[in-house]
Amino acid sequence: MMRYFVILFAFLAVFPFAGAIPHAFFGVETVLDTPRTSRYIRPSLPSGNLPMHDIRLQTRSGAVEQVHLSALRIDRVSLVFARNISSLPDDEFPMQATIKYGTEPDNLEHKMIVNARVYTTMNEYNSYLWNPPMGAPALSREDIVPLMNTASWAEPWWYVYSNFSLADVPENRSVSASYNNPASIYQSPLLFNAKLTDLRPNTRYYYNIDDEFTGNFTTLPLAGDFTKPFTLGLWADVGQTNVSVLNAEYMLKNVSPDLMLLAGDLSYADTYGPLWDTWGRLMEPLMSKKLTLFCDGNHELNAGNEQYIPYFYRYPTGYKESHSPTAEYYSFETGPMHVITLSSFTRFEKGSAQYRWLLRDLARFNRSLTPWLVVQFHVPWYCSSYGTGSRLLMREAMEPILYKYGVDFILEGHVHVYERTFPVFNNVTNPCGPVHLVIGDAGNREGPSLPFIDPQPSWSAFREGSFGVGKMVIYNDTHAHFEWHRVACEDTNATVCVTPGDNSAQAHDISDSAWIVRNLTQCPNRLMPVTSL
Ligand SMILES: *[C@@H]1O[C@H](CO)[C@@H](O)[C@H](O)[C@H]1NC(C)=O
Ligand SMILES: *[C@@H]1O[C@H](CO)[C@@H](O)[C@H](O)[C@H]1NC(C)=O
Ligand SMILES: *[C@@H]1O[C@H](CO)[C@@H](O)[C@H](O)[C@H]1NC(C)=O
Ligand SMILES: *[C@@H]1O[C@H](CO)[C@@H](O)[C@H](O)[C@H]1NC(C)=O
Ligand SMILES: *[C@@H]1O[C@H](CO)[C@@H](O)[C@H](O)[C@H]1NC(C)=O
Ligand SMILES: *[C@@H]1O[C@H](CO)[C@@H](O)[C@H](O)[C@H]1NC(C)=O
Ligand SMILES: *[C@@H]1O[C@H](CO)[C@@H](O)[C@H](O)[C@H]1NC(C)=O
Ligand SMILES: *[C@@H]1O[C@H](CO)[C@@H](O)[C@H](O)[C@H]1NC(C)=O
Ligand SMILES: *[C@@H]1O[C@H](CO)[C@@H](O)[C@H](O)[C@H]1NC(C)=O
Ligand SMILES: *[C@@H]1O[C@H](CO)[C@@H](O)[C@H](O)[C@H]1NC(C)=O
Ligand SMILES: [Fe+2]
């Protein structure tokens, strides 16, 4: 806290009129004599989760909702949606949904029927939820007492918690309700996953769900077809605050990506089941229109022991399509690139299933067809902020292979800051190593992962404690341009930016940008073929 004020004070002292700072101050290219640590700092207070009564979070009471798309393969897209049947009459049970899709909006030539599935999880009354600084839903300790108290449901002999009182609710600690307590059991709405198949590349598809919801999206180019620049929208650690919404809107309107990569930590539901639904609703305007490659983060696996259940049901990945045994890791290729999604939260050492799958996938893909080799996973291997987690074991296990195959850039989240490295390998800059992009804060409620470690490591090209999203435009087989679009506002009204020293003109400033150039003369590891390891 102290440190934050010191830095902020220094910033204001040097730049009392931050709005007047020329754009170039933040527009740092890869030049060593410009500042490599931004003087901008986002508010130290976390952005709160939107309150449960926010209009955008409400259920459509039986109608199709939470529509989103996941890219499985160029010709295959999962269309996922939900129906909350609570408010339907008892004799209505829409177990099936009819999806029509096609290339002519008025004549949808394909029709398919999918069955619903549901899952159950335990709501954990987590201090993240009821401790005010961590945001909504605003369960107070008083709210938790009746949920924990067994009197309403237990057999009389079950006395243990029947006299649960306020004093028994530990402050700032999560509370596991009994599995016998109906009030603590979360039941998902009916969930539908329609795999739209045999899609043609580069084509706009229109879809209709039960004549209730219509949408459209554009499929991706075939691997090897990159006549047009390809735009990737990159983000991670999204959450459901005002900033998350701003980022989602910005992603749709301003980045307008061909494909999004979400490098883990989606809803921050953290075992309060309904927050997966509210996140699905918040993201629908974007995710029902744009394709995503999802990646798991710790908030999918174990923030409150979800063990991926909501994630696997709701956000399918193309693992079967890429010969992977699990939805945790998979690959995808389109246009100029082969994208590999790895998991920071499964075994990764030599001999593990993930390691072996990675070797096979790398050996299988054709670099002449898709010259850009892109990797995403959640926990960064290079990030010069404190509290970066156990990144080094995975780095030790897998970095040599990724280097050998000449990965071009790696997308990571988890740490709530932005940091771009120079090409790096084995802890030192190396022109033939990948560029790491840590983009771990698209708006979640947790607050920034500051301070940065000093001195700044030599591999660190630029770092800034800010919210935002990344945009990568791949122009051809050698040149891609990356931009970090910082979000300075904590308010849905983007003209009101509460960040000290910032204002609306800089609300979505491009505070860092860099060319990523594949130099095959210099780096033969970026050429095919690599024969054996
Ligand atoms: C479903 O709708 C009911 C009534 O409208 C509501 O109380 C409940 O929270 C909703 N469930 C989910 C998972 O959104
Ligand atoms: C319930 O708890 C209160 C305070 O902890 C205690 O004074 C009271 O005797 C308890 N009642 C029963 C029935 O156990
Ligand atoms: C609980 O968290 C709040 C907010 O961070 C803090 O003010 C309070 O002192 C904490 N209480 C305990 C018992 O740690
Ligand atoms: C296709 O989607 C766009 C938004 O992405 C929407 O504006 C347009 O109306 C849709 N077209 C049809 C025919 O539904
Ligand atoms: C790899 O792709 C190139 C370019 O499309 C093609 O000429 C070559 O035959 C492919 N190699 C294999 C092994 O499929
Ligand atoms: C990596 O290099 C930094 C200096 O840039 C050093 O502090 C750190 O200990 C090194 N880490 C490893 C794992 O070698
Ligand atoms: C690749 O794109 C970059 C950026 O637009 C351009 O400068 C370069 O000339 C292009 N290279 C080729 C071979 O077209
Ligand atoms: C979100 O923004 C609105 C104004 O647009 C503001 O009233 C509200 O307090 C903000 N909510 C949170 C949780 O920061
Ligand atoms: C946003 O804030 C500005 C400045 O306070 C105000 O004039 C405008 O009406 C607000 N817009 C909305 C949609 O709340
Ligand atoms: C590629 O690297 C070589 C050797 O370092 C250098 O001479 C050449 O200028 C580089 N080419 C480009 C396009 O950067
Ligand atoms: Fe994380």
Side-chain angles (χ1 to χ4, degrees), residues 220-525:
L220 297 166
L222 287 175
D225 168 9
F226 43 105
T227 43
K228 282 185 297 188
F230 192 105
T231 302
L232 281 170
L234 309 175
W235 60 342
D237 302 73
V238 180
Q240 36 194 312
T241 71
N242 275 335
V243 183
S244 320
V245 177
L246 277 174
N247 274 325
E249 287 170 353
Y250 187 82
M251 185 67 96
L252 180 64
K253 291 181 192 137
N254 302 70
V255 178
S256 191
D258 296 306
L259 175 66
M260 295 186 286
L261 268 52
L262 202 173
D265 285 1
L266 284 60
S267 72
Y268 286 73
D270 298 348
T271 321
Y272 190 71
L275 290 181
W276 279 102
D277 297 298
T278 54
W279 196 74
R281 293 172 195 134
L282 268 185
M283 292 298 138
E284 186 188 82
L286 170 67
M287 292 192 173
S288 62
K289 302 181 180 83
K290 297 287 178 186
L291 300 170
T292 299
L293 299 180
F294 293 96
C295 170
D296 62 61
N298 51 306
H299 287 266
E300 279 66 62
L301 174 65
N302 99 340
N305 273 331
E306 286 182 351
Q307 312 287 15
Y308 293 136
I309 289 174
Y311 176 66
F312 282 177
Y313 271 82
R314 293 163 182 266
Y315 296 94
T317 66
Y319 74 100
K320 288 180 182 155
E321 287 75 4
S322 50
H323 311 287
S324 157
T326 163
E328 295 159 284
Y329 40 88
Y330 64 97
S331 66
F332 184 91
E333 53 186 36
T334 176
M337 69 194 152
H338 184 85
V339 184
I340 294 177
T341 298
L342 296 176
S343 174
S344 301
F345 304 105
T346 184
R347 302 303 292 251
F348 41 66
E349 74 279 7
K350 205 169 177 14
S352 64
Q354 179 171 222
Y355 185 95
R356 292 177 198 211
W357 172 83
L358 175 63
L359 290 185
R360 273 211 345 199
D361 192 71
L362 286 167
R364 201 169 56 87
F365 95 104
N366 182 345
R367 193 136 205 187
S368 316
L369 198 63
T370 51
W372 288 87
L373 180 53
V374 179
V375 173
Q376 69 168 340
F377 48 81
H378 187 60
V379 183
W381 292 355
Y382 291 93
C383 181
S384 60
S385 137
Y386 287 103
T388 53
S390 56
R391 66 199 189 281
L392 290 181
L393 290 178
M394 189 182 179
R395 180 171 116 189
E396 272 170 31
M398 290 183 156
E399 190 180 29
I401 324 170
L402 297 193
Y403 179 76
K404 181 148 194 165
Y405 277 87
V407 168
D408 295 295
F409 59 89
I410 301 184
L411 180 70
E412 293 137 318
H414 192 57
V415 182
H416 304 328
V417 296
Y418 165 66
E419 184 160 20
R420 173 174 58 84
T421 72
F422 294 112
V424 60
F425 175 54
N426 218 358
N427 210 22
V428 290
T429 58
N430 178 321
C432 303
V435 167
H436 291 251
L437 300 166
V438 179
I439 53 159
D441 206 337
N444 72 80
R445 65 179 179 224
E446 289 186 338
S449 306
L450 292 171
F452 286 120
I453 293 166
D454 282 321
Q456 185 167 12
S458 54
W459 43 254
S460 173
F462 185 81
R463 55 189 191 173
E464 178 177 86
S466 57
F467 297 113
V469 298
K471 176 178 180 177
M472 179 78 77
V473 183
I474 300 179
Y475 286 95
N476 50 38
D477 59 352
T478 55
H479 283 69
H481 192 253
F482 176 74
E483 293 170 348
W484 172 248
H485 292 248
R486 181 185 70 210
V487 177
C489 306
E490 292 238 354
D491 204 298
T492 50
N493 182 344
T495 62
V496 182
C497 296
V498 301
T499 305
D502 208 324
N503 65 21
S504 58
Q506 294 178 325
H508 285 102
D509 220 14
I510 299 170
S511 55
D512 182 44
S513 63
W515 282 99
I516 298 183
V517 181
R518 291 165 38 77
N519 184 331
L520 302 179
T521 325
Q522 192 179 22
C523 301
N525 59 339

Side-chain angles (χ1 to χ4, degrees), residues 175-197:
V175 178
S176 297
S178 164
Y179 58 79
N180 281 310
N181 182 352
S184 71
I185 291 174
Y186 167 79
Q187 168 77 75
S188 78
L190 300 184
L191 292 167
F192 300 85
N193 172 7
K195 279 192 188 181
L196 315 183
T197 55

Side-chain angles (χ1 to χ4, degrees), residues 88-272:
L88 298 180
D90 272 352
D91 58 355
E92 261 188 60
F93 189 41
M95 246 309 277
Q96 294 191 319
T98 304
I99 292 96
K100 286 174 275 179
Y101 62 100
T103 54
E104 304 285 339
D106 303 322
N107 179 26
L108 302 176
E109 63 262 37
H110 306 287
K111 182 174 165 178
M112 67 187 292
I113 292 174
V114 282
N115 286 335
R117 299 200 306 162
V118 301
Y119 68 84
T120 301
T121 51
M122 292 285 299
N123 281 338
E124 185 171 306
Y125 300 103
N126 194 313
S127 61
Y128 283 5
L129 301 173
W130 55 270
N131 184 357
M134 300 308 274
L139 291 187
S140 65
R141 291 171 73 202
E142 286 79 0
D143 294 332
I144 290 173
V145 173
L147 293 169
M148 299 298 297
N149 202 310
T150 59
S152 61
W153 55 271
E155 306 289 341
W157 47 265
W158 189 307
Y159 58 89
V160 183
Y161 298 110
S162 62
N163 194 21
F164 205 91
S165 73
L166 194 57
D168 301 315
V169 182
E171 196 176 341
N172 297 357
R173 286 190 30 219
S174 62
V175 178
S176 297
S178 164
Y179 58 79
N180 281 310
N181 182 352
S184 71
I185 291 174
Y186 167 79
Q187 168 77 75
S188 78
L190 300 184
L191 292 167
F192 300 85
N193 172 7
K195 279 192 188 181
L196 315 183
T197 55
D198 297 322
L199 305 176
R200 293 203 306 267
N202 276 331
T203 303
R204 184 172 289 260
Y205 275 86
Y206 299 84
Y207 60 87
N208 174 314
I209 306 170
D210 280 341
D211 294 328
E212 272 179 33
F213 189 99
T214 59
N216 63 77
F217 62 94
T218 303
T219 53
L220 297 166
L222 287 175
D225 168 9
F226 43 105
T227 43
K228 282 185 297 188
F230 192 105
T231 302
L232 281 170
L234 309 175
W235 60 342
D237 302 73
V238 180
Q240 36 194 312
T241 71
N242 275 335
V243 183
S244 320
V245 177
L246 277 174
N247 274 325
E249 287 170 353
Y250 187 82
M251 185 67 96
L252 180 64
K253 291 181 192 137
N254 302 70
V255 178
S256 191
D258 296 306
L259 175 66
M260 295 186 286
L261 268 52
L262 202 173
D265 285 1
L266 284 60
S267 72
Y268 286 73
D270 298 348
T271 321
Y272 190 71

